[in-house]
């Protein structure tokens, strides 16, 4: 990954900076084409390469065979270099052996806890000195709670990819060699030294001679692919030993293979440019999101030229609005399109000087299948609603647990982990704390976490981490959940429809609380620059308009059908309650009239009350929460008619009805047309219920 620093540039058309290099005439000699050589061989300044210990050469044939991640090819190349492999294996073994030896001594001396900070810092230093493969793998597993103890996550998350640069002479030679043109033909000016350096490459700022556009030129570190190939071969061997010794459920060699494939794709700048183009096409039109333009004609496997984006790191500015923009963009990546930026660390997120959020570095991206998207949303719903039994099943769907897992034990563990966290309400759930608690459980029970899931979690955790640095009360899940709620309410996916139905109904009983919560939360799904109201119920007229607009729209069809169905049940119960109340006032009615109001009808009447309150935009008051009332069945017909009257009394005059009528007139013609069709649908449902009840009473 590349960390793009903020530069103070002079306005164009003046030179890029006082460090800019005016090109010399084209050099006559290029770097040798017959070998791929690490930078340290050409320049003693590259301390990172020297510490990494990969000062060696590969033939062109050998280097080309390592362009893609294929273990047999890698093994074949290094099988012919036993001394090189042995040297690297000894270097790696000694580094980790010394660290594990010290950890073992700490255990014997019962000082593991007190020495944690020291050992964690030592481990981080070892990873940096061992080179790019270990840096990248460590960064990848820093969110893998099933692979390492949670106590190490924080320390590894501090691992920075800021590495000493390699020689600019080598870099410029590589640019000319890869693009087949001299620097003077390509650029009118370029910075003489890199403006950023990382384990895989470094970046220069330049101006295209052809168009005058200011660009970032990314050049791959020579020899890095050969070095990573060797280290991956050793890592796979070590992973097999560790898995057998630690008895992990996760296939550690498969994890190494998966991340190695990702690293190899990241080292192919053609792939990164294609990812950037796709990301720009999908999300570049989102308001206040900027995605740099890729110049494919100047891009090869080792050189990438892209639009220069100038700004400040998002983590260094206090802009909560852009965090919300990032959350909205992440929602689109994860739950709408399924193509997401897999490495959104603070260095890859900039606030441009005109107040927009810029995404950089597209070497690591991921694909989120529709099934996994639906499963992720279901898991969030079940978590918020504390349905831990269903959450355990979601873990199977998401690949966190095998189908043979003990669901009862998992449910019990998840309840213990999440019960207190979600009791505070969705807007107060800390994503970081949630992840930490889950990580402890995962490590304890040896559960597995697919790599895609850790990337998804990381993308959200990074945003929360940036936000809480200047607003400790910020909760990314509280900002994400409204989009999830709206998606669940409007998505046409059969899986999500089934999930919504299961969420809203339990044993055939409609749970109005959950619909009310989903509707209210979905109304918070906004990204305006103005401060969004945290409680949608503060303005009844706004609530009425939002709910009507939402339920009458085409995407609200499924929710609309549920509301009409429950209204029909409520009106049916109202008719029965009215009949029963009237009959009770007739003398001696007990001799010729038997009560018809069942417990189900009473429940439907309560639901009807809540629906009236919701659609009228009124806040639910304690006196309307009749679920806790304990009334005798003989008094139900009077008690619930009084409760219903108290709801209907909210519309006591024409003045109270006018706001509702004015809202209807403001709705789009399509919504008004849908509204006109509702009475007919309601009547059909009422007739159907009455007919079914008559059949039951006559023939059963």
């Amino acid at each position: 990954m590349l960390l793009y620093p903020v530069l103070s540039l002079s306005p164009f058309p003046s030179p890029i900076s006082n460090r800019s290099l005016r090109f010399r005439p084209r050099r006559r000699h290029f770097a040798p084409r017959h070998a791929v050589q690490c930078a340290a061989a050409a320049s003693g300044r590259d301390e990172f390469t020297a510490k990494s210990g990969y000062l060696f050469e590969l033939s062109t044939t050998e280097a080309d065979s390592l362009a893609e991640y294929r273990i047999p090819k890698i093994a074949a190349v290094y099988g012919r270099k036993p001394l090189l492999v042995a040297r690297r294996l000894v270097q790696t073994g000694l580094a980790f052996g010394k660290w594990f030896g010290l950890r073992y001594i700490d255990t014997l001396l019962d000082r593991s806890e007190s020495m944690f900070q020291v050992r964690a810092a030592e481990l981080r230093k070892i990873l940096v000195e061992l080179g790019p493969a270990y840096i990248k793998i460590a960064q990848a597993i820093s969110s893998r709670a099933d692979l390492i103890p949670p106590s190490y996550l924080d320390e590894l998350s501090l691992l920075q990819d800021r590495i000493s640069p390699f020689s600019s002479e080598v870099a410029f030679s590589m640019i000319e060699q890869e693009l087949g043109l001299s620097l003077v033909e390509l650029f009118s000016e370029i910075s003489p030294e890199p403006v950023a350096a990382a384990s895989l490459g470094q970046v220069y700022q330049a101006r295209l001679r052809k168009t005058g556009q200011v660009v970032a030129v990314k050049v791959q570190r020579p020899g890095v692919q050969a070095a990573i190939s060797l280290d991956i071969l050793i890592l796979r061997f070590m992973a097999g030993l560790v898995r057998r010794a630690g008895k992990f459920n996760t296939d550690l060699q498969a994890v190494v293979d998966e991340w190695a494939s990702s690293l190899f794709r990241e080292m192919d700048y053609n792939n990164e440019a294609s990812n950037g183009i796709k990301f720009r096409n999908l999300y570049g039109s989102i308001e206040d999101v900027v995605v740099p333009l890729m110049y494919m004609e100047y891009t090869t496997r080792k050189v990438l030229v892209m639009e220069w984006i100038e700004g400040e790191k998002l983590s260094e500015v206090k802009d909560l609005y852009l965090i919300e923009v990032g959350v909205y963009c992440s929602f689109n990546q994860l739950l709408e399109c399924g193509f997401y930026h897999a490495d959104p660390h603070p260095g890859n997120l900039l606030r441009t000087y005109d107040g927009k959020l810029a995404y950089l570095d597209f070497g690591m991206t991921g694909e989120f299948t529709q099934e996994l998207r639906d499963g992720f949303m279901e898991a969030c719903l079940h978590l918020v609603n504390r349905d831990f039994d269903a959450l355990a099943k979601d873990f199977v769907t998401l690949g966190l647990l095998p189908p043979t897992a003990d669901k009862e034990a998992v449910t019990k563990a998840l309840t213990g982990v999440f019960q207190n966290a979600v009791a505070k309400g969705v807007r107060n759930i800390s994503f970081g704390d949630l992840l930490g608690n889950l990580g402890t459980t995962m490590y304890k029970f040896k559960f597995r976490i697919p790599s895609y899931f850790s990337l998804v979690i990381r993308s959200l955790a990074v945003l929360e981490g940036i936000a809480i640095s200047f607003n400790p009360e910020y909760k990314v899940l509280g900002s994400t959940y409204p989009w999830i709620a709206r998606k669940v309410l409007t998505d046409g996916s059969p899986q999500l429809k089934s999930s919504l139905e299961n969420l809203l109904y339990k044993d055939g009983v409609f749970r109005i609380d959950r619909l009310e919560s989903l509707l209210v939360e979905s109304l918070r799904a906004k990204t305006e620059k103005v401060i969004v109201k945290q409680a949608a119920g503060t303005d009844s007229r706004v609530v009425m308009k939002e709910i009507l607009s939402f339920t009458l729209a085409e995407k609200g069809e499924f929710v609309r059908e549920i509301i009409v169905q429950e209204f029909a049940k409520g009106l049916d119960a109202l008719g029965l309650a009215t009949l029963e109340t009237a009959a009770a006032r007739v003398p001696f009615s007990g001799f010729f009239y038997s009560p018809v109001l069942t417990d189900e009808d009473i429940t439907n009447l309560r639901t009807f009350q809540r629906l009236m309150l919701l659609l009228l935009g009124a806040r639910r008051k304690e006196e309307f929460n009749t679920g806790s009332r304990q009334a005798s069945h003989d008094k139900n017909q009077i008690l619930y008619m009084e409760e219903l009257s108290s709801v209907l009394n909210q519309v006591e005059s024409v003045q109270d009805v006018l706001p509702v009528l004015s809202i209807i007139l403001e709705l789009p013609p399509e919504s008004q047309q849908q509204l006109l069709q509702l009475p007919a649908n309601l009547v059909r449902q009422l007739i159907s219920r009455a007919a079914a009840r008559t059949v039951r009473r006559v023939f059963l």
Side-chain angles (χ1 to χ4, degrees), residues 320-321 324 524 526-535:
L320 191 57
Y321 166 68
E324 295 288 350
R524 295 198 303 119
K526 300 177 181 179
T527 56
E528 292 96 354
K529 287 192 175 182
V530 297
I531 298 176
V532 179
K533 293 181 180 178
Q534 293 300 306

Side-chain angles (χ1 to χ4, degrees), residues 45 89 440 639:
R45 296 188 303 105
L89 188 59
T440 303
L639 177 60

Side-chain angles (χ1 to χ4, degrees), residues 271-572:
N271 181 66
E272 179 175 349
S274 297
N275 290 339
I277 291 172
K278 184 175 181 179
F279 196 90
R280 180 184 174 94
N281 290 337
L282 289 174
Y283 314 115
S285 60
I286 294 177
E287 185 178 1
D288 293 324
V289 169
V290 175
V291 182
L293 180 66
M294 302 289 166
Y295 292 89
M296 294 297 294
E297 64 271 31
Y298 298 113
T299 296
T300 69
R301 194 165 62 87
K302 297 180 180 180
V303 174
L304 169 64
V305 176
M306 59 190 287
E307 178 186 0
W308 179 268
I309 301 293
E310 195 173 348
E312 305 167 275
K313 286 184 182 179
L314 185 60
S315 57
E316 296 176 356
V317 294
K318 297 182 178 181
D319 195 332
L320 191 57
Y321 166 68
L322 285 189
I323 295 293
E324 295 288 350
V325 171
V327 169
Y328 175 65
C329 189
S330 294
F331 164 81
N332 277 273
Q333 293 173 48
L334 300 176
L335 304 181
E336 286 287 351
C337 303
F339 179 75
Y340 60 94
H341 194 298
D343 192 22
H345 69 80
N348 287 338
L349 297 172
L350 295 185
R351 181 191 184 277
T352 64
Y353 291 130
D354 57 351
K356 297 183 178 181
L357 177 64
Y359 283 81
L360 304 175
D361 199 338
F362 304 96
M364 293 180 65
T365 59
E367 296 280 354
F368 211 24
T369 66
Q370 185 64 54
E371 181 184 6
L372 293 176
R373 280 180 261 168
D374 291 348
F376 184 75
M377 284 185 281
E378 288 178 310
C380 289
L381 282 176
H382 294 144
L383 171 65
V384 171
N385 289 282
R386 287 176 269 190
D387 192 346
F388 299 114
D389 184 59
L391 186 61
K393 297 176 182 176
D394 295 332
F395 274 39
V396 174
T397 302
L398 293 169
L400 300 171
L401 293 170
T404 56
D406 185 347
K407 306 297 189 304
E408 185 176 343
V410 172
T411 300
K412 184 177 180 181
L414 294 178
T415 302
V417 169
F418 296 136
Q419 184 70 49
N420 293 333
V422 300
K424 303 174 184 177
V426 64
R427 301 182 197 182
N428 297 308
I429 297 176
S430 168
F431 197 80
D433 292 345
L434 204 64
L435 182 60
N437 293 337
L438 177 61
T440 303
T441 301
M442 287 292 175
Y443 184 73
K444 178 180 178 182
F445 287 92
K446 308 294 184 184
F447 295 160
R448 61 192 183 194
I449 300 180
S451 62
Y452 81 85
F453 190 77
S454 65
L455 289 175
V456 169
I457 295 299
R458 186 182 180 189
S459 68
L460 295 176
V462 165
L463 287 170
E464 181 170 87
I466 294 174
I468 62 177
S469 65
F470 54 86
N471 181 8
E473 301 303 317
Y474 183 82
K475 305 293 185 290
V476 73
L477 187 57
S479 293
T480 307
Y481 186 69
W483 296 107
I484 295 175
R486 174 159 291 198
K487 178 71 173 175
V488 171
L489 290 172
T490 59
D491 197 274
S493 161
Q495 182 177 339
L496 284 184
K497 282 186 177 181
S498 176
S499 178
L500 177 60
E501 196 165 8
N502 291 333
L503 185 73
L504 297 180
Y505 290 91
K506 183 176 183 180
D507 300 326
V509 177
F510 181 63
R511 295 187 278 191
I512 179 66
D513 280 341
R514 295 194 170 184
L515 177 63
E516 185 178 29
S517 174
L518 285 171
L519 283 172
V520 171
E521 286 296 329
S522 70
L523 300 183
R524 295 198 303 119
K526 300 177 181 179
T527 56
E528 292 96 354
K529 287 192 175 182
V530 297
I531 298 176
V532 179
K533 293 181 180 178
Q534 293 300 306
T538 54
D539 187 333
S540 62
R541 191 177 187 280
V542 171
V543 173
M544 281 188 285
K545 184 175 181 179
E546 291 281 0
I547 291 178
L548 285 174
S549 299
F550 173 77
T551 55
L552 293 174
E554 182 180 353
K555 288 188 174 182
E557 180 181 3
F558 187 63
V559 175
R560 184 168 66 248
E561 290 175 355
I562 290 176
I563 291 177
V564 170
Q565 176 180 292
E566 293 305 318
F567 246 100
K569 291 179 182 179
L571 288 173
D572 182 52

